[in-house]
Amino acid sequence: MSVTFSKNERLCSQLLLDELFSTGDTFMVFPYSVRFRLYEADRLPSEAQVLIAVSKRRFHHAVDRNRVKRLTRECYRLRKTPLYDSLQQHGKTMTISLNYVYDKIMDYDQLSKRMDKVIATLIEKTN
């Protein structure tokens, strides 16, 4: 599996977004509030589609919001392989929303540890 973050892995469909936010399950791994929804294997073009959101209320400057999104994307990109393997094994796909809820920018090492917990929790929920 390639370790990229392609267009197919980005959650862009308004229909899927509406389904995710109306019927998805949630959990919290600080600093992320995670919402996800499982589908059957052929529903999505990729094993998982991800939306990364940072509140304008918490970060007034776009530079700061973009930095948090970049760090989050990189953490997810490098750690997604076990999640994709688990989804393939169970014949499912997933939409995920990662909302950054902290008002300070955490460094990459802290975010990577938290992303490991997010991925582990998502793998647990697919079973």
Side-chain angles (χ1 to χ4, degrees), residues 77-90:
R77 181 184 74 83
L78 293 175
R79 288 160 180 77
K80 69 181 179 179
T81 306
L83 174 63
Y84 280 33
D85 292 341
S86 175
L87 287 169
Q88 282 179 347
Q89 183 179 7
H90 291 94

Side-chain angles (χ1 to χ4, degrees), residues 21-50:
F21 285 103
S22 64
T23 61
D25 296 325
T26 62
F27 64 92
M28 180 83 176
V29 175
F30 186 79
Y32 297 110
S33 171
V34 182
R35 185 176 291 266
F36 69 97
R37 187 165 193 276
L38 288 169
Y39 293 96
E40 293 305 316
D42 296 336
R43 179 78 193 267
L44 302 174
S46 176
E47 284 83 3
Q49 287 192 335
V50 181

Side-chain angles (χ1 to χ4, degrees), residues 3-16:
V3 189
T4 61
F5 193 66
S6 66
K7 173 70 174 163
N8 286 340
E9 296 175 87
R10 297 170 196 260
L11 182 55
C12 300
S13 167
Q14 189 63 48
L15 177 66
L16 291 174

Side-chain angles (χ1 to χ4, degrees), residues 20-106:
L20 175 63
F21 285 103
S22 64
T23 61
D25 296 325
T26 62
F27 64 92
M28 180 83 176
V29 175
F30 186 79
Y32 297 110
S33 171
V34 182
R35 185 176 291 266
F36 69 97
R37 187 165 193 276
L38 288 169
Y39 293 96
E40 293 305 316
D42 296 336
R43 179 78 193 267
L44 302 174
S46 176
E47 284 83 3
Q49 287 192 335
V50 181
L51 169 74
I52 298 170
V54 180
S55 173
K56 193 182 222 183
R57 183 176 294 170
R58 298 184 196 281
F59 294 100
H60 301 290
H61 301 286
V63 167
D64 297 331
R65 290 192 301 274
N66 291 338
R67 172 136 180 91
V68 172
K69 287 191 272 186
R70 258 196 320 274
L71 289 170
T72 301
R73 242 188 337 263
E74 183 68 7
C75 290
Y76 174 79
R77 181 184 74 83
L78 293 175
R79 288 160 180 77
K80 69 181 179 179
T81 306
L83 174 63
Y84 280 33
D85 292 341
S86 175
L87 287 169
Q88 282 179 347
Q89 183 179 7
H90 291 94
K92 300 192 183 222
T93 56
M94 179 183 282
T95 55
I96 306 166
S97 169
L98 297 170
N99 295 321
Y100 191 86
V101 296
Y102 190 40
D103 59 354
K104 293 182 175 51
I105 300 175
M106 297 176 81

